[in-house]
Amino acid sequence: MTGNQIKGASAKPRILLVDDNKLGLSARQSVLDELGYAVTTACNGEDALAQFNAGSFDLVITDYKMPKMHGIELIKNLREHSPATPLILISGFVDALGLTEVSTGADAVIQKSSNEVNHLVRAVNKILRPTTTRKPAASQRPVLKAKRQIL
C-alpha cells in the first residue's frame, strides 16, 4: 500500500495518454485529472511502450497521427503484450480513413471535434467505472399490496 492510499479505498484508475501534440495532451490530461483518474503522459509511441512496460495501466488513450509510430501500430504492439488492456484511439481522420474499432483494434474510436471531450469522458467512464445498478422502471417493479388501515 502506498502512502496516498487509504486502507480499504480503491486506487485511482491509471490511464496512459499518448499524443505528440503538447496542447492536446495537456488539455485531455486536465479533463481526465479533473475526473479523478491518475494520468501518465507520453509524447510518442516509443515513449508510450516504455511507460507501459514500466508501469501498470487500466486504459491507454492514443492519438492516431504521430511521427515514427502511429496509433494503430502502438495498439498492435500493446495488444501483443497485454491483450486485455482497454484502448481508445483519437483521430481527426476517423471518417476520412474509415477508422473503426474493428479496423484499428481499439475498444473505442473518437473523432476529434467540438464534441471530443464529451465522447472521451463517456468512453473512459464506460470502460473504467463499474456499471451502477439502476432502479427498475415502474412497469417492472413488483406490485406491493397496500395495508388497509382499520380506524
Side-chain angles (χ1 to χ4, degrees), residues 17-21 25 28 42-49 60-75 78 88-91 93 112:
L17 182 60
V18 188
D19 195 340
D20 63 319
N21 178 319
L25 190 69
R28 290 183 196 100
C43 59
N44 60 55
E46 293 170 351
D47 185 28
L49 288 174
V60 177
I61 302 170
T62 184
D63 187 31
Y64 170 75
K65 189 176 180 188
M66 297 182 290
K68 297 181 185 177
M69 181 187 304
H70 60 70
I72 295 175
E73 291 172 314
L74 176 60
I75 288 170
L78 293 171
I88 295 176
L89 178 72
I90 299 175
S91 177
F93 306 100
K112 287 183 181 179

Side-chain angles (χ1 to χ4, degrees), residues 71-147:
I72 295 175
E73 291 172 314
L74 176 60
I75 288 170
K76 287 179 183 175
N77 277 302
L78 293 171
R79 288 281 185 224
E80 288 175 11
H81 294 92
S82 182
T85 300
L87 302 161
I88 295 176
L89 178 72
I90 299 175
S91 177
F93 306 100
V94 170
D95 293 332
L97 298 176
L99 300 174
T100 66
E101 288 80 4
V102 173
S103 69
T104 64
D107 294 286
V109 176
I110 297 172
Q111 171 77 41
K112 287 183 181 179
S113 69
S114 59
N115 295 320
E116 174 190 341
V117 171
N118 292 334
H119 293 287
L120 179 62
V121 168
R122 189 175 302 122
V124 169
N125 285 338
K126 182 178 179 183
I127 290 170
L128 293 179
R129 296 208 171 145
T131 310
T132 57
T133 315
R134 294 183 180 178
K135 289 182 180 179
S139 62
Q140 296 175 343
R141 290 186 196 140
V143 178
L144 299 175
K145 295 180 181 178
K147 293 181 181 178

